[in-house]
Amino acid sequence: MTSTPTGDARGTVLVVNSGSSSVKYQLVDPASGEAVASGLVERIGEPRGAVKHVAHGETTRRELPVPDHAEALRIVLGLFDEIGPDLSAAHVVAVGHRVVQGGSRFDGPVLVDDAVEHAIEELSPLAPLHNPPNLTGIRVAQALLPDVPHVAVFDTAFFRTLPDAAATYAIDTAVAEQHQVRRYGAHGTSHQYVSQQVAEVLGRPLEDLHQIVLHLGNGASASAVRGGVAVETSMGLTPLEGLVMGTRSGDVDPAVVFHLHRNAGMSVDEIDDLLNRRSGLKGLSGENDFRALHELVDAGDPRARLALDVYLHRLRKYVGAYHAVLGRLDVLTFTAGVGENDDLVRARLVEGLDAMGIEVDPERNAGRKGEPTVISPEGARVTVLVVPTNEELAIARQALDVTGA
Ligand code: AMP
């Protein structure tokens, strides 16, 4: 093994996102922002798992049984050994773990210790599909990489600053407190990263900017950020609330749940499945990928047209509401799969918003954006941008902040 570190002397960070049946990873050089290697283990626990490892510009794919998360991470470390890059040579100084739910407790990244592990476990009722596999990933990675610090980076942390008026649901206080019912938000790492990038790209102090960030991917969320501090966000107790998403409904009257239970005889689990996995664009049109949705619209499919209209209407409502929350709007930013790639969604969203100072220049807006790009016309009252998100880099940098490496 060589002792030449990849990247600069600060070394690299291994970022791990451990889901219920998958583990995503990326070896990040935080100084350059480069992904030195990345990959994904899928279908953990199923008879045939799938592994993908990308390094040195080449993709290696394998199919093999992956019984559990421990084996998944062992396979990943084996691939680093076999294909590279050599983790010792890459000088891994920290492992950053994405954790979905940090509850009221975590307002930033923390070094993992027994108390942190316990807290992640205790918060599992708020994110039953995510926190348990996140914690499993942490434990397994600690056992396999015991000599480096492990840092938990919470998807909710950026929204811990929400004012009580934004975080509180108007339900009985005792019930809400006992069951920790409040707005926690999600995608916080992305909203924080993008809002900070905006200040850097514009060369303006973050403290001066009133921003709306639209994270539009398969999941979608909006946030209002004043001076770098989140003051409102569309996801709530869980990532179900807010915008119309690929397969999630976003906002519905809560009475829809009672109605379906009482009158359609659906169980709570069935309604959970309906609103999380069979709703949104998919529920409305049969398609949750925007590329396919546009094709259906072009072919005259009325359900697809309605789906797009509902999506844009909801998004516009949030932009208007957050403008009011902020009082003044300086910047509106699009990010994530749809926000970065879909110029039609961007153009249609701002239709009719010129009175609010929000408009895009058709030429600047055209096409997919792989780097931060201003798309509003010269001199526009609100600067509209596309900024690619990079949650792995954000997690890597936060992990370094904590470890001081
Ligand atoms: P994400 O969850 O951020 O990975 O975003 C995934 C979504 O981005 C997909 O479901 C698509 O709807 C959308 N998307 C990805 N690439 C494109 C593209 N070239 N044009 C339009 N939408 C895209």
Side-chain angles (χ1 to χ4, degrees):
M1 273 177 229
T2 89
S3 59
T4 317
T6 303
D8 77 355
R10 293 181 80 194
T12 57
V13 177
L14 182 63
V15 175
V16 177
N17 182 355
S18 178
S20 54
S21 64
S22 69
V23 174
K24 270 193 223 156
Y25 60 94
Q26 199 174 103
L27 184 66
V28 180
D29 176 352
S32 69
E34 186 200 351
V36 182
S38 63
L40 173 66
V41 183
E42 285 178 294
R43 304 203 296 266
I44 297 172
E46 290 180 34
R48 262 196 120 51
V51 181
K52 178 176 138 181
H53 182 76
V54 184
H56 314 304
E58 283 187 20
T59 302
T60 306
R61 287 177 202 277
R62 297 217 175 128
E63 291 219 343
L64 72 173
V66 188
D68 53 31
H69 287 75
E71 187 57 25
L73 275 178
R74 252 183 249 120
I75 291 170
V76 171
L77 295 185
L79 286 166
F80 274 107
D81 263 352
E82 181 192 329
I83 297 164
D86 182 337
L87 283 181
S88 327
H91 188 47
V92 179
V93 291
V95 182
H97 296 270
R98 178 170 189 250
V99 181
V100 163
Q101 182 53 268
S104 300
R105 169 148 178 190
F106 296 105
D107 60 3
V110 288
L111 206 56
V112 174
D113 60 15
D114 288 349
V116 169
E117 286 185 33
H118 185 65
I120 294 171
E121 197 159 30
E122 272 191 342
L123 289 163
S124 288
L126 292 172
L129 297 180
H130 295 104
N131 272 31
N134 294 161
L135 184 56
T136 304
I138 289 175
R139 289 182 167 147
V140 166
Q142 277 179 321
L144 292 170
L145 298 164
D147 299 328
V148 284
H150 290 248
V151 176
V153 178
F154 298 92
D155 220 23
T156 49
F158 184 53
F159 299 121
R160 189 65 195 90
T161 54
L162 292 188
D164 287 344
T168 306
Y169 289 113
I171 63 172
D172 184 287
T173 304
V175 173
E177 276 176 6
Q178 189 186 348
H179 298 283
Q180 304 175 74
V181 177
R182 52 167 276 154
R183 178 181 309 286
Y184 295 104
H187 290 152
T189 308
S190 175
H191 285 275
Q192 181 175 25
Y193 173 82
V194 168
S195 53
Q196 290 172 349
Q197 281 285 107
V198 163
E200 231 169 81
V201 169
L202 297 180
R204 294 176 62 184
L206 183 60
E207 296 70 36
D208 291 354
L209 295 176
H210 287 205
Q211 310 190 39
I212 294 176
V213 177
L214 301 177
H215 177 113
L216 309 178
N218 202 24
S221 57
S223 69
V225 182
R226 183 186 289 136
V229 177
V231 293
E232 191 38 296
T233 195
S234 59
M235 286 178 166
L237 175 78
T238 75
L240 181 56
E241 192 180 345
L243 304 176
V244 175
M245 308 180 213
T247 66
R248 287 178 225 148
S249 61
D251 297 334
V252 290
D253 180 344
V256 167
V257 177
F258 323 142
H259 174 74
L260 292 175
H261 179 61
R262 292 187 186 124
N263 300 312
M266 292 175 75
S267 70
V268 170
D269 285 345
E270 283 168 342
I271 301 170
D272 186 330
D273 183 61
L274 172 79
L275 296 181
N276 274 297
R277 280 176 284 280
R278 294 192 284 128
S279 295
L281 297 170
K282 177 112 184 154
L284 288 170
S285 73
E287 274 300 342
N288 61 316
D289 190 300
F290 267 91
R291 290 160 286 196
L293 188 71
H294 289 313
E295 280 178 21
L296 288 177
V297 173
D298 290 346
D301 185 314
R303 291 196 315 153
R305 202 174 55 229
L306 178 63
L308 190 56
D309 287 346
V310 173
Y311 180 92
L312 291 166
H313 177 76
R314 179 84 51 86
L315 203 47
R316 235 178 254 131
K317 267 201 326 193
Y318 269 88
V319 170
Y322 286 10
H323 194 164
V325 166
L326 290 166
R328 182 194 89 219
L329 182 63
D330 302 311
V331 187
L332 173 75
T333 306
F334 292 91
T335 193
V338 181
E340 292 164 27
N341 295 308
D342 197 322
D343 48 8
L344 197 64
V345 164
R346 296 192 299 253
R348 280 204 53 197
L349 172 71
V350 305
E351 273 171 19
L353 299 186
D354 42 328
M356 293 162 70
I358 303 172
E359 42 189 327
V360 300
D361 176 286
E363 259 173 51
R364 290 180 171 186
N365 179 47
R368 302 170 63 182
K369 306 293 178 201
E371 55 188 48
T373 310
V374 173
I375 59 170
S376 48
E378 203 61 47
R381 191 142 43 93
V382 176
T383 306
V384 184
L385 290 116
V386 181
V387 173
T389 193
N390 190 339
E391 286 170 283
E392 288 79 13
L393 176 60
I395 290 172
R397 289 190 173 153
Q398 292 193 33
L400 279 190
D401 287 345
V402 171
T403 57

